[in-house]
Amino acid sequence: MAGSGRRPEHRGPPELFYDEAEARKYTQNSRVVEIQSQMSERAVELLGLPEDRPCLLLDVGCGSGLSGDYISDKGHYWIGMDISPAMLDVAVEREVEGDLLLADVGHGIPFRPGMFDGCISISAVQWLCNADKKSHSPPKRLYRFFSTLYTALARGSRAVLQLYPENSEQLELITAQAMRAGFTGGMVVDYPNSAKAKKFFLCLFVGASGTLPKGLGTECADEEIHQAKFTNERTRFRNIKGKSVKKSRDWILEKKERRRRQGKEVRADTKYTGRKRRPRF
């Protein structure tokens, strides 16, 4: 499940999609390397690691080790898991500093309890939503992944999983299985008003629930539209094309901003903007 730093096109299972040619092509692509490095930096930042000691991290879908390079540069140690032999071969050729494991995370995380101080994943977890074989059940594979990941992480640590959800249903499936496995936390969305720069980071807490970090590019700290906390309420996200759901708060704010640019008089934004009124009896 190699993370490529770009929105993947699902053409069969990842171990076949990321063959030798694709693995080398993506590792040599300077733009992909730059994006991967930026997302890795953000994921490690969201982990909130202690600054006074090196940590041992798990890199899920480590690919050719691009995200691991950043972890090493920050003075931490890492173990990477990936389902693509071709991607791991490139990582070995690049002489990455982390240890590598060929494995399908849908079968679980095979490490002893409390082993890791944190976990990151770049562009990989959404692959678990695909049923590439008749025996594959996305909910079961996701639960197996999250439940064993929860066990492998030390109490009080975090997992930060960057992903490219295809739709809101897929996002709800992933977060539901994470909650069922015992995690708390929520979705941190960077640059929510940008179709190109917007990034989803599932920030999960092990044990005591921490404060969910704020997404980059959010103007108001109290706007919870940009952070989807785990609740029993159905959470609404943008559609696959990056457009806001019609009549949502984002959609209203964007419409008002367009009118302001056109020189039209528009009411000021408040915390009540886009809030639904209660029905009257």
Side-chain angles (χ1 to χ4, degrees):
M1 260 182 304
S4 63
R6 58 182 174 171
R7 186 180 298 276
E9 299 174 10
H10 297 313
R11 301 172 183 168
E15 64 270 30
L16 298 181
F17 176 74
Y18 290 106
D19 57 15
E20 185 176 350
E22 181 69 18
R24 295 185 184 282
K25 181 173 66 176
Y26 124 0
T27 306
Q28 295 168 359
N29 186 314
S30 59
R31 174 167 171 75
V32 169
V33 172
E34 180 184 0
I35 294 174
Q36 181 90 359
S37 178
Q38 291 173 353
M39 292 194 295
S40 301
E41 179 179 359
R42 177 60 170 153
V44 172
E45 177 188 344
L46 290 171
L47 282 179
L49 299 173
E51 298 180 0
D52 57 345
R53 64 177 176 86
C55 297
L56 177 61
L57 304 181
L58 176 65
D59 185 357
V60 171
C62 65
S64 59
L66 295 178
S67 49
D69 287 343
Y70 180 79
I71 296 174
S72 297
D73 290 343
K74 297 298 289 183
H76 300 298
Y77 303 100
W78 60 279
I79 296 175
M81 296 179 64
D82 204 284
I83 198 173
S84 168
M87 295 296 281
L88 293 179
D89 286 344
V90 174
V92 172
E93 289 178 15
R94 296 180 61 247
E95 298 182 344
V96 298
E97 296 184 26
D99 293 323
L100 305 170
L101 175 65
L102 176 65
D104 178 357
V105 298
H107 293 162
I109 305 298
F111 295 101
R112 62 179 174 80
M115 179 171 174
F116 295 99
D117 300 306
C119 169
I120 70 166
S121 179
I122 307 298
S123 316
V125 175
Q126 70 275 349
W127 287 96
L128 290 174
C129 295
N130 298 340
D132 296 315
K133 299 178 181 178
K134 288 184 178 180
S135 60
H136 282 182
S137 166
K140 290 182 179 179
R141 283 169 59 77
L142 282 164
Y143 177 71
R144 179 66 179 168
F145 164 63
F146 281 119
S147 59
T148 52
L149 175 62
Y150 187 92
T151 301
L153 290 169
R155 301 304 93 175
S157 63
R158 299 181 185 182
V160 177
L161 316 174
Q162 183 275 328
L163 63 155
Y164 287 114
E166 291 188 353
N167 48 51
S168 61
E169 288 76 19
Q170 192 176 87
L171 207 53
E172 289 169 6
L173 171 62
I174 293 171
T175 54
Q177 296 308 313
M179 279 190 291
R180 185 180 166 215
F183 284 106
T184 56
M187 192 67 65
V188 176
V189 185
D190 285 352
Y191 306 107
N193 295 315
S194 170
K196 291 185 178 180
K198 181 171 61 174
K199 293 292 184 294
F200 290 88
F201 292 88
L202 184 57
C203 189
L204 304 174
F205 304 114
V206 181
S209 179
T211 302
L212 195 65
K214 299 187 184 302
L216 300 177
T218 55
E219 297 178 359
C220 300
D222 61 346
E223 288 186 8
E224 292 193 3
I225 184 68
H226 304 317
Q227 298 182 16
K229 295 183 179 179
F230 286 167
T231 68
N232 291 326
E233 298 177 2
R234 189 178 181 87
T235 309
R236 294 180 179 176
F237 298 90
R238 292 188 176 192
N239 60 29
I240 189 171
K241 295 182 179 179
K243 295 181 179 179
S244 300
V245 178
K246 193 171 184 180
K247 299 300 177 73
S248 67
R249 180 180 172 85
D250 262 354
W251 182 84
I252 293 172
L253 291 174
E254 289 170 0
K255 187 175 180 180
K256 291 174 72 175
E257 187 59 33
R258 284 197 303 271
R259 290 180 174 272
R260 289 192 186 100
R261 289 198 297 266
Q262 294 169 358
K264 297 179 180 179
E265 187 175 343
V266 181
R267 288 185 180 180
D269 299 336
T270 70
K271 64 180 181 180
Y272 301 106
T273 301
R275 183 178 293 185
K276 289 187 177 181
R277 296 176 181 269
R278 292 185 178 180
R280 293 186 178 182
F281 295 94

